[in-house]
Amino acid sequence: MKRIIAAICTAAALSACSTGQQAQTIEALNGEWNIVNMDGKSVTISSPEDLDTPFIGFDTATKRVYGSTSCNRLTGQLNADAKTGKMDFGPMACTRKMCKDIQLEQQVLEVLGRVKTYSIKKSETLVFSDADGKTIMELKKK
């Protein structure tokens, strides 16, 4: 009987620990995050004279997302659930400035369109995954 009770207590304790590690608050997203990797490739700026470092910013109080695609600014609606890790972006708007290199911007927008879940690792790395659970974007806290 003591072994059964000990096993139940151990299982409950382990379950509580793993739940605590997975649980995140939506507020942990707040702030700005530089995009450092997309689809397994490092993000590099090919024409630094007219491009910015691409980033995504979150304001969870207003459920808004904003940022830079490297060339243009974007803004939109944030739909995120901290308990499940699900995320998507509602209607988005983007400025239409002409830039010499638009390829990075197109890639950022395409990848953002595939985001289905997120996780935060060590409070400084934000990971977006697609519907298959594959990492499609990594961001570092500014």
Side-chain angles (χ1 to χ4, degrees):
M1 185 69 159
K2 286 182 182 180
R3 283 186 183 171
I4 293 172
I5 292 172
I8 291 171
C9 289
T10 300
L14 289 174
S15 174
C17 287
S18 66
T19 302
Q21 289 175 344
Q22 292 173 352
Q24 302 178 69
T25 64
I26 197 75
E27 290 79 16
L29 287 171
N30 280 328
E32 296 180 350
W33 302 77
N34 286 331
I35 300 171
V36 296
N37 191 301
M38 287 189 295
D39 288 327
K41 297 177 187 153
S42 293
V43 172
T44 56
I45 304 296
S46 60
S47 306
E49 64 274 357
D50 72 334
L51 297 178
D52 298 324
T53 299
F55 76 92
I56 304 295
F58 299 95
D59 182 344
T60 59
T62 61
K63 297 184 179 180
R64 303 297 298 164
V65 61
Y66 61 93
S68 170
T69 62
S70 73
C71 176
N72 286 289
R73 299 290 180 180
L74 62 88
T75 186
Q77 182 181 348
L78 171 65
N79 302 309
D81 184 331
K83 289 182 183 177
T84 63
K86 292 186 186 225
M87 174 184 279
D88 67 74
F89 304 106
M92 299 284 279
C94 194
T95 60
R96 295 312 228 174
K97 184 174 88 174
M98 294 295 291
C99 293
K100 291 180 182 177
D101 182 3
I102 200 78
Q103 184 178 9
L104 180 56
E105 174 172 296
Q106 291 171 338
Q107 189 179 16
V108 168
L109 293 172
E110 188 273 328
V111 172
L112 287 176
R114 293 188 284 138
V115 172
K116 296 297 179 198
T117 62
Y118 78 96
S119 62
I120 299 174
K121 298 179 180 178
K122 298 182 182 179
S123 302
E124 61 190 43
T125 302
L126 175 59
V127 177
F128 291 157
S129 300
D130 64 12
D132 296 326
K134 179 182 173 196
T135 297
I136 56 174
M137 185 180 281
E138 292 181 14
L139 304 94
K140 294 281 184 190
K141 189 79 169 194
K142 280 189 170 186

